[in-house]
Amino acid sequence: MKKVIIITGVSSGFGRHTAAMLAAEGHTVYGTVRRDVDLRNGVHILRMDLTDADSVRDAVATVCSREKRIDVLINNAGMHTGGPAETLPEDYLRLQMETNFLGTVRITREVLPVMRNQGGGTIINFSSIGGLMGLPFQSYYSAAKFALEGFSEALRLEVRQFNIRIVLINPGDFHTNNTLNRRNFLAPTDSTDPYHEQYTKTHGIIERDETGGMDPEKLAVKIVRIVRSRRPRLRYVIASPDQRLSVLLKRILPERWFMKIIGSYYRIR
Ligand SMILES: NC(=O)c1ccc[n+]([C@@H]2O[C@H](COP(=O)([O-])OP(=O)(O)OC[C@H]3O[C@@H](n4cnc5c(N)ncnc54)[C@H](OP(=O)(O)O)[C@@H]3O)[C@@H](O)[C@H]2O)c1
């Protein structure tokens, strides 16, 4: 069945690939952007910034007035801060929560009544492996994704009665614009900062993993399958074998052992 789909953040990365693939499948796809982008892939473009409640309301209203329904909402848009929890500037911390958590909640609350009134729908929320375990020097990113996890699990139970399915995606490292974008939101540390040495070491590992990450098209293929599915699961961990193993180990190992493994991976002193 062809569906009406909204996907946030289609200017790059997962959003761009997924929107193009869904449009190629014949779905009616609305993709949101904050700036002019030349997509030419059959995706209808909407202007929307998750931190601006009016723009979120307007984007959803536009799709409703044109299509009279919204079958799938894909909450992909997000940003990524990095730095010591103690010294990351507070405005970055606010933007992190405002975008990845509150912004996602904001558009979800606009779309829910539409789905309820039409008798169902699917909402796919992009979490992360960092939403399942706290990652060093990505504390506020992890915090925002953990918040999204709790919200999505609770919401899945609340809206089941309306035939609305809530899905969480936990990607591992993929090679997207995420790394470049995060460079705008890194805590400035100089060599006198008490975290400087550790932060520099760990941040190097984070960037190495991301730049050597998987191709985002692989993830887009999985999202297309989830959109097709009549009964999607709550969670899909889409990651390298090592990262999938880390998710399993977090579940089964005593916490102290797991923290040792993560600490040694990120070369924490
Ligand atoms: N790449 C990875 O390895 C990875 C791993 C785990 C989870 N994720 C998650 O996957 C999602 C997509 O990330 P990506 O890797 O594809 O990164 P990306 O290439 O940086 O794409 C992020 C998208 O979000 C948009 N966006 C950022 N802030 C926004 C706001 N306030 N309002 C509306 N749109 C906004 C960006 O638009 P602009 O172009 O205007 O900035 C861009 O289109 C994110 O939720 C991210 O946390 C990524």
Side-chain angles (χ1 to χ4, degrees), residues 104-123:
T104 301
V105 168
R106 193 170 279 139
I107 187 166
T108 299
R109 280 160 51 112
E110 288 295 327
V111 167
L112 279 173
V114 180
M115 291 186 170
R116 196 164 38 71
N117 290 328
Q118 74 196 14
T122 302
I123 299 178

Side-chain angles (χ1 to χ4, degrees), residues 9 11-12 14 34-35 49-50 76 78 141 145 172 174 176 181:
S11 62
S12 66
F14 295 147
R34 295 190 295 178
R35 58 192 164 85
D49 186 325
L50 283 173
N76 161 75
Y141 175 76
K145 296 294 191 187
F174 281 83
T176 64
N181 289 340

Side-chain angles (χ1 to χ4, degrees), residues 8-16 32-35 37 48-52 75-80 95-96 98-100 126-130 141 145 148 169-179 181-182 210 213 216 219:
T8 62
V10 298
S11 62
S12 66
F14 295 147
R16 187 178 193 123
T32 77
V33 296
R34 295 190 295 178
R35 58 192 164 85
V37 278
M48 191 210 69
D49 186 325
L50 283 173
T51 64
D52 173 354
N75 282 315
N76 161 75
M79 52 86 66
H80 199 158
L95 186 64
Q96 182 72 85
E98 183 64 39
T99 309
N100 289 25
F126 269 71
S127 177
S128 167
I129 296 277
Y141 175 76
K145 296 294 191 187
L148 193 59
I169 307 293
N170 297 95
D173 285 315
F174 281 83
H175 188 50
T176 64
N177 275 6
N178 179 53
T179 311
N181 289 340
R182 190 189 42 243
E210 284 173 357
L219 184 133

Side-chain angles (χ1 to χ4, degrees), residues 205-217:
I205 297 167
I206 295 167
E207 290 224 333
R208 180 205 64 199
D209 288 350
E210 284 173 357
T211 44
M214 301 196 304
D215 179 351
E217 267 201 54

Side-chain angles (χ1 to χ4, degrees), residues 125-142:
N125 289 336
F126 269 71
S127 177
S128 167
I129 296 277
L132 298 173
M133 57 190 77
L135 300 176
F137 299 109
Q138 302 175 75
S139 53
Y140 297 112
Y141 175 76
S142 269

Side-chain angles (χ1 to χ4, degrees), residues 34-257:
R34 295 190 295 178
R35 58 192 164 85
D36 288 334
V37 278
D38 187 8
L39 288 174
R40 294 187 211 177
N41 54 11
V43 176
H44 305 281
I45 293 301
L46 294 168
R47 281 272 176 170
M48 191 210 69
D49 186 325
L50 283 173
T51 64
D52 173 354
D54 288 343
S55 82
V56 171
R57 212 171 300 123
D58 289 351
V60 173
T62 302
V63 179
C64 284
S65 81
R66 286 196 207 155
E67 307 295 339
K68 314 291 179 233
R69 59 185 298 112
I70 300 168
D71 299 302
V72 182
L73 167 65
I74 304 178
N75 282 315
N76 161 75
M79 52 86 66
H80 199 158
T81 55
E86 184 184 327
T87 52
L88 190 84
E90 188 173 326
D91 50 340
Y92 290 5
L93 150 60
R94 287 184 186 282
L95 186 64
Q96 182 72 85
M97 298 308 283
E98 183 64 39
T99 309
N100 289 25
F101 179 57
L102 284 172
T104 301
V105 168
R106 193 170 279 139
I107 187 166
T108 299
R109 280 160 51 112
E110 288 295 327
V111 167
L112 279 173
V114 180
M115 291 186 170
R116 196 164 38 71
N117 290 328
Q118 74 196 14
T122 302
I123 299 178
I124 300 174
N125 289 336
F126 269 71
S127 177
S128 167
I129 296 277
L132 298 173
M133 57 190 77
L135 300 176
F137 299 109
Q138 302 175 75
S139 53
Y140 297 112
Y141 175 76
S142 269
K145 296 294 191 187
F146 268 64
L148 193 59
E149 292 272 332
F151 168 71
S152 304
E153 286 183 12
L155 186 63
R156 180 159 168 124
L157 295 170
E158 289 181 24
V159 299
R160 191 167 58 190
Q161 59 181 320
F162 304 118
N163 195 28
I164 301 171
R165 293 154 294 255
I166 309 295
V167 176
L168 276 162
I169 307 293
N170 297 95
D173 285 315
F174 281 83
H175 188 50
T176 64
N177 275 6
N178 179 53
T179 311
L180 277 180
N181 289 340
R182 190 189 42 243
R183 289 197 185 134
N184 301 322
F185 300 103
L186 287 180
T189 53
D190 58 50
S191 51
T192 61
D193 186 297
Y195 294 96
H196 177 76
E197 196 187 330
Q198 183 64 67
Y199 172 42
T200 310
K201 218 187 271 173
T202 301
H203 185 251
I205 297 167
I206 295 167
E207 290 224 333
R208 180 205 64 199
D209 288 350
E210 284 173 357
T211 44
M214 301 196 304
D215 179 351
E217 267 201 54
K218 285 197 177 143
L219 184 133
V221 169
K222 301 240 171 165
I223 303 295
V224 171
R225 267 193 228 138
I226 294 166
V227 165
R228 252 189 242 138
S229 161
R230 290 163 66 88
R231 299 182 64 189
R233 303 199 304 262
L234 166 65
R235 178 183 306 292
Y236 295 83
V237 177
I238 305 172
S240 66
D242 286 2
Q243 289 183 318
R244 287 205 308 273
L245 177 65
S246 72
V247 172
L248 176 69
L249 292 179
K250 166 108 201 248
R251 248 186 250 145
I252 61 175
L253 284 183
E255 270 173 1
R256 201 187 318 168
W257 294 8

